[in-house]
Amino acid sequence: MEEDETDVILICGSHRYPCHRNILSQHSPYFQAMFTSPMLESTSKEITLKDVTPSALKTLIDFAYTHKFQATTRTVHPVLEAACMFHFETIEKLCIDFLLSNLTIKNCLSIMCCADRLGISQLLRSSRQMVLWEFTTVVFGKEFLQLEAPGVQMYLSNDGLRLKSEIQVFDAINKWIEHEPEVRNKCRIKLLETIRFGQVSQTELGDMLREERVRNDAECAQLLMSIRKLMRGGRNRKSGDLLDDLLVARRLLEAPNRVLPMVPAVIGRGSEEDDRPVVMYLEVGKREVVCLCDLNKVMSNGHVATGFRSCIVGQRIYLMGGEFYLGCSNWNESMWSLDTFCNSWHFETKLPTKRRHQCVCVLDQHIYLIGGIGQFRVVLDKVERYDTTD
């Protein structure tokens, strides 16, 4: 685009982007306010923009003229930040949808940090759920090792971490420190305070004290010994005991236990006028029942499959079986799963046997389909198993 054909030039670093004020204003309330307010920029021929990368800014400008945008894993974060900064709402939504549909254990931590920084509640909620639920896997990833100390402390302090033992938090601390020991060793004492020592056994505490990295840190060793003293019922302060350590130790022992943020959920009709099945859950803080999603995977031409069944494995809701029109042999032969973190559906498998009104149970990540009614209203006497880890 030639500069003499435009009425403003956006400057980003060494890059110059000739533009039309009216086109930018149509897509961005930010630029609309800039160009219509009594600010210097409203009449300036050249405007310098900071805190944005040239490539991200060019993406926004190109979208304003072409209405085309394709998010990619490499570019989505800087483009999302630029879209939030300049209020390109369409681009912002496309980036959020892209990140939600590509949310994985490997990237959930960086997406959560990005969403928290930009104040994107929907993206923050979904990514934080995965970060907490998949804690034991996330801490072995590259993103965890790249966190700054405040981010690690905030993560490990969360009440909702899903773990089997607080030793896993201790191991995560050591792993993060060993990635850059010269810089991070000084953070050990502060990070140890994220451990819920009330859920640590004396045997586990002894294992921590035997760690060479702890023994070599006098402050950390003293704190853990103070905790062990209180665990063993020590009440009186002896010569050599540090009062501050005992006070901190008592505070750490009395910290509340971690509890997974789980809520009751049911499947029912959205309303008396609407027969569509939906998943509803209790939002405890507001004390109200909220609709999570429609179960459209068990519907066909407005009809709900009679006798479909559901179960939960981890964060996924599974739907299977049912007959759409009784007596017409129109069966739901699919098993679908809903990822409640991303609110996205995934086809799992085709059922080996057509069935409805079956019993369903879950054991060790396996779904068992038991009995039910099959074709020609035959009562089934077979059990089928589906492995959700495949």
Side-chain angles (χ1 to χ4, degrees):
M1 195 180 308
E2 298 297 331
E3 291 191 11
D4 56 3
E5 298 176 354
T6 59
D7 55 7
V8 66
I9 298 173
L10 301 183
I11 300 174
C12 184
S14 60
H15 297 262
R16 297 167 62 87
Y17 301 108
C19 303
H20 297 86
R21 295 173 187 268
N22 63 325
I23 292 179
L24 292 176
S25 298
Q26 289 172 14
H27 293 85
S28 165
Y30 177 95
F31 284 114
Q32 182 181 36
M34 175 187 287
F35 297 145
T36 58
S37 67
M39 298 170 60
L40 179 62
E41 289 84 354
S42 63
T43 56
S44 298
K45 176 64 177 177
E46 298 183 352
I47 299 174
T48 299
L49 299 175
K50 300 180 179 180
D51 301 322
V52 61
T53 65
S55 59
L57 180 59
K58 185 177 186 303
T59 298
L60 300 186
I61 295 171
D62 288 345
F63 175 78
Y65 283 90
T66 66
H67 299 93
K68 294 179 181 179
F69 169 68
Q70 183 63 52
T72 66
T73 303
R74 185 177 61 85
T75 62
V76 65
H77 283 278
V79 171
L80 176 58
E81 292 193 24
C84 291
M85 179 186 301
F86 300 118
H87 300 175
F88 275 72
E89 296 175 358
T90 302
I91 292 282
E92 181 181 341
K93 184 180 186 307
L94 290 172
C95 288
I96 292 172
D97 291 344
F98 177 85
L99 289 173
L100 284 173
S101 62
N102 290 276
L103 185 63
T104 67
I105 296 174
K106 291 183 177 181
N107 64 22
C108 58
L109 198 53
S110 64
I111 290 177
M112 183 189 74
C113 293
C114 176
D116 187 35
R117 185 172 65 255
L118 299 177
I120 305 173
S121 57
Q122 176 192 8
L123 189 59
L124 176 61
R125 181 169 58 251
S126 295
S127 56
R128 182 163 53 198
Q129 287 173 337
M130 184 174 288
V131 163
L132 297 178
W133 184 266
E134 301 291 354
F135 167 76
T136 54
T137 305
V138 169
V139 293
F140 283 96
K142 182 171 64 175
E143 289 190 346
F144 176 73
L145 297 179
Q146 293 173 342
L147 280 178
E148 297 295 327
V152 176
Q153 185 176 359
M154 183 180 299
Y155 182 27
L156 300 183
S157 297
N158 197 289
D159 292 338
L161 292 182
R162 185 174 72 106
L163 41 77
K164 294 180 179 179
S165 167
E166 290 292 320
I167 283 289
Q168 293 173 304
V169 179
F170 179 75
D171 291 340
I173 293 170
N174 287 334
K175 184 175 180 63
W176 180 80
I177 291 175
E178 287 306 305
H179 187 62
E180 292 181 352
E182 299 82 5
V183 179
R184 297 177 174 180
N185 264 321
K186 61 184 179 182
C187 304
R188 190 184 304 275
I189 185 66
K190 199 67 179 176
L191 293 179
L192 284 178
E193 295 185 13
T194 65
I195 299 174
R196 306 300 167 91
F197 285 98
Q199 295 178 274
V200 174
S201 68
Q202 291 194 37
T203 300
E204 291 172 327
L205 185 62
D207 291 339
M208 293 181 188
L209 278 165
R210 282 189 287 274
E211 275 276 348
E212 182 179 359
R213 289 162 290 196
V214 172
R215 293 201 313 269
N216 292 338
D217 189 318
E219 190 177 10
C220 293
Q222 179 62 45
L223 175 61
L224 295 187
M225 286 189 288
S226 297
I227 292 173
R228 183 171 63 179
K229 173 182 173 64
L230 293 176
M231 279 185 172
R232 291 175 174 176
R235 294 289 184 270
N236 299 321
R237 180 185 172 197
K238 296 180 180 179
S239 176
D241 287 344
L242 297 178
L243 180 59
D244 287 346
D245 284 330
L246 289 174
L247 292 175
V248 172
R250 186 175 301 281
R251 173 173 59 81
L252 296 181
L253 279 170
E254 293 175 352
N257 293 344
R258 300 186 200 268
V259 179
L260 283 175
M262 304 180 75
V263 295
V266 297
I267 292 177
R269 293 192 306 174
S271 66
E272 293 184 3
E273 299 78 23
D274 191 349
D275 287 334
R276 290 180 303 169
V278 297
V279 177
M280 296 173 285
Y281 68 95
L282 176 65
E283 191 160 325
V284 180
K286 297 182 179 179
R287 295 187 178 182
E288 63 180 2
V289 177
V290 179
C291 177
L292 175 65
C293 67
D294 294 334
L295 300 183
N296 52 40
K297 298 304 180 182
V298 289
M299 294 189 66
S300 176
N301 297 324
H303 291 268
V304 180
T306 300
F308 79 89
R309 290 295 182 257
S310 63
C311 64
I312 293 178
V313 183
Q315 82 279 13
R316 291 181 178 268
I317 299 174
Y318 288 80
L319 303 178
M320 66 222 70
E323 189 175 4
F324 292 113
Y325 306 96
L326 291 180
C328 296
S329 195
N330 188 353
W331 296 82
N332 173 35
E333 301 180 61
S334 301
M335 177 184 288
W336 290 86
S337 69
L338 173 70
D339 187 332
T340 56
F341 293 163
C342 308
N343 200 22
S344 59
W345 288 99
H346 303 269
F347 174 77
E348 295 289 335
T349 189
K350 181 179 179 179
L351 299 181
T353 305
K354 299 173 182 178
R355 63 172 81 210
R356 58 177 167 86
H357 294 102
Q358 68 272 17
C359 293
V360 177
C361 66
V362 177
L363 179 65
D364 296 332
Q365 305 295 308
H366 291 85
I367 299 174
Y368 292 84
L369 283 69
I370 307 168
I373 308 297
Q375 284 185 294
F376 313 115
R377 299 189 179 182
V378 173
V379 177
L380 300 174
D381 59 357
K382 63 168 62 175
V383 177
E384 293 166 348
R385 185 181 73 172
Y386 177 70
D387 186 353
T388 62
T389 62
D390 287 346

